[in-house]
Amino acid sequence: MLSCSCATVWNTRSSLFRTFTSRYFSSSATVLNERPKAKERGHIIFSGIQPTGVPHLGNYLGALSNWVKLQRNAEPEDELLFSIVGWHALTLPQNPKELSASRMDMLATILAIGIDPKRSIVFHQDDNQCHTELAWILGCITPVGKLRRMTTWKSRLAASRNANDESEVDESLLNTGLFTYPVLQAADILAYRATHVPVGEDQTQHLELSRDLADIFNRTFKNAKRFFPLPTQLITPTRRVLSLKDPSSKMSKSAPDVQSRILLTDSASQIKSKIRSAVTDSIDGVTYDPINRPGASNLLSILAACTDEDPAAVALRYQDKGHGHLKADVTDAVEELLKRPRSEFERLKEEKAYLADVAKEGAERAKEKSWTTLKAVRSIIGLY
């Protein structure tokens, strides 16, 4: 079985796609020999985001902005699917009214940042029952040991309980949904026989499970040889955006201190206030040193992401300057980055009928594609 410890690309595609991949994602690669057999089939790119609260700067730089780049650079035969994964949100307690509102807000956000619902399929995961049916089928071939080795459920449970680290997690509080949701995540991807998944490095373990389950299915059923392609991870170029108040942890929507994160809906004055109060250090000058100077390095990383530069190169401009100068420039860069999508979001969230139409059309297109997969799976396993 091939490892997903680094990004992987196929060597049988055109040099143009490899060029756009290396331009926006990790250039390290493990060559895959597996390739879909369908005639003239392009790449199928799938990614999802939970509808829990307004996205923050880390979500935007780590995932959403890369969706737009993928859409802009995809070949005409490539297919792109972006899903709002409501079922995943249920793995932790949710306020029903807030979750309902967040579903539509997330859809408005995806459109506001530049995703075109005519070019890409944008839909609510919970509008397509094929995901849950395939998740059950995959769950029946998933070894429990693989799920127990997953680290994400431990970290999410620790965060939900405000624990200092995973060692403080009380496993008696673990629900089955949180334990098994990596299988549903695999179903999200495999329902469309996706070939590429743009996610951060923190999702490598989950994508590896998706590859494992695709491989197990292909080997378990004799007439399923290479039915599921092994999805390739496209690692986003931006490193984790860390908390402005605790640069030892990543920026999070669930952190109790609202000053720790910058939301896409924050005003210019709110952005300024949050960055001004960001944790740095008392060392003179500014250098990029994530280990010894995480606060300053986080601000440099944010600035570099906004200006599409390397953090170490950006740091050279501030080696003789103070943190105040850096914070002022980060404030200007973040405001410039967010002001257009913020304005567009405020407009779109009021157009509820339009959002409903986009969601309905996206769900219909997603169902059509995934039902083709599910019918074939049912036939392969003897249930169709």
Side-chain angles (χ1 to χ4, degrees), residues 49-55 84 89 94-109 124 253 345:
I49 188 170
Q50 289 197 37
T52 50
V54 176
I84 301 163
Q94 301 292 333
N95 179 299
K97 289 184 178 180
E98 292 178 1
L99 180 59
S100 179
S102 293
R103 289 174 78 253
M104 297 306 289
D105 283 352
M106 185 59 73
L107 178 58
T109 298
H124 291 291
K253 289 178 284 189
F345 169 79

Side-chain angles (χ1 to χ4, degrees), residues 134-153:
L134 183 57
W136 174 256
I137 295 170
L138 294 177
C140 292
I141 61 172
T142 303
V144 172
K146 286 186 178 292
L147 294 179
R148 186 154 291 281
R149 287 192 293 272
M150 291 285 147
T151 59
T152 310
W153 64 264

Side-chain angles (χ1 to χ4, degrees), residues 7-14 17-18 20-22 25 30 32 34-36 41-48 67 70 78-82 188-190 192-199 207 211 229-235:
T8 51
V9 295
W10 281 325
N11 65 341
T12 51
R13 282 287 289 166
S14 68
F17 188 84
R18 289 199 301 272
F20 109 74
T21 300
S22 62
F25 302 104
T30 298
L32 290 181
E34 292 83 4
R35 175 173 168 79
R41 186 185 184 198
H43 289 287
I44 300 175
I45 301 167
F46 177 93
S47 196
W67 290 7
L70 280 166
D78 294 331
E79 299 179 68
L80 300 98
L81 301 101
F82 300 118
D188 296 337
I189 297 167
L190 299 181
Y192 305 95
R193 301 180 69 200
T195 60
H196 291 77
V197 184
V199 291
L207 192 58
R211 289 169 56 84
L230 306 189
T232 295
Q233 181 176 9
L234 299 177
I235 298 180

Side-chain angles (χ1 to χ4, degrees), residues 53 82 92 126 268 298 324 331 383:
F82 300 118
L92 292 176
D126 47 274
N298 186 38
T331 298
L383 290 179

Side-chain angles (χ1 to χ4, degrees), residues 134-346:
L134 183 57
W136 174 256
I137 295 170
L138 294 177
C140 292
I141 61 172
T142 303
V144 172
K146 286 186 178 292
L147 294 179
R148 186 154 291 281
R149 287 192 293 272
M150 291 285 147
T151 59
T152 310
W153 64 264
K154 297 178 183 178
S155 60
R156 294 192 69 195
L157 192 58
S160 70
R161 298 291 171 174
N162 292 320
N164 293 320
D165 57 55
E166 295 174 12
S167 65
E168 298 181 8
V169 170
D170 181 358
E171 290 193 20
S172 68
L173 301 174
L174 174 65
N175 64 63
T176 304
L178 181 56
F179 183 65
T180 62
Y181 90 91
V183 180
L184 176 57
Q185 190 176 56
D188 296 337
I189 297 167
L190 299 181
Y192 305 95
R193 301 180 69 200
T195 60
H196 291 77
V197 184
V199 291
E201 291 178 325
D202 60 339
Q203 289 294 311
T204 294
Q205 190 182 41
H206 282 189
L207 192 58
E208 185 171 303
L209 178 67
S210 299
R211 289 169 56 84
D212 286 349
L213 295 183
D215 184 60
I216 291 172
F217 184 91
N218 292 345
R219 289 187 291 105
T220 299
F221 301 97
K222 293 182 179 179
N223 57 336
K225 184 178 180 181
R226 294 187 179 182
F227 176 77
F228 285 121
L230 306 189
T232 295
Q233 181 176 9
L234 299 177
I235 298 180
T236 54
T238 303
R239 293 287 181 177
R240 293 191 307 169
V241 177
L242 303 177
S243 166
L244 297 178
K245 289 298 187 180
D246 177 15
S248 66
S249 60
K250 68 179 183 179
M251 188 173 286
S252 171
K253 289 178 284 189
S254 60
D257 190 346
V258 296
Q259 292 294 107
S260 68
R261 57 189 174 272
I262 296 172
L263 303 179
L264 265 65
T265 53
D266 280 347
S267 65
S269 61
Q270 287 174 314
I271 292 172
K272 182 177 181 179
S273 173
K274 290 179 178 181
I275 294 177
R276 180 186 293 170
S277 64
V279 171
T280 51
D281 54 53
S282 58
I283 303 173
D284 291 336
V286 175
T287 56
Y288 184 67
D289 184 352
I291 301 299
N292 299 307
R293 307 188 68 184
S297 297
N298 186 38
L299 293 177
L300 287 168
S301 294
I302 292 172
L303 180 56
C306 291
T307 57
D308 198 21
E309 297 177 89
D310 180 74
V314 172
L316 296 177
R317 302 201 296 264
Y318 296 90
Q319 57 186 351
D320 297 324
K321 299 176 181 178
H323 290 107
H325 196 122
L326 173 61
K327 288 182 176 182
D329 287 351
V330 173
T331 298
D332 291 341
V334 171
E335 169 59 18
E336 182 64 26
L337 180 74
L338 298 184
K339 66 180 182 181
R340 191 207 64 78
R342 179 178 62 214
S343 175
E344 189 67 1
F345 169 79
E346 294 298 336

Side-chain angles (χ1 to χ4, degrees), residues 49-101:
I49 188 170
Q50 289 197 37
T52 50
V54 176
H56 55 64
L57 184 64
N59 301 137
Y60 183 79
L61 294 176
L64 297 176
S65 63
N66 286 297
W67 290 7
V68 179
K69 292 176 183 177
L70 280 166
Q71 177 181 261
R72 183 170 61 240
N73 291 281
E75 297 290 341
E77 67 271 22
D78 294 331
E79 299 179 68
L80 300 98
L81 301 101
F82 300 118
S83 180
I84 301 163
V85 289
W87 279 318
H88 289 297
L90 299 180
T91 57
L92 292 176
Q94 301 292 333
N95 179 299
K97 289 184 178 180
E98 292 178 1
L99 180 59
S100 179

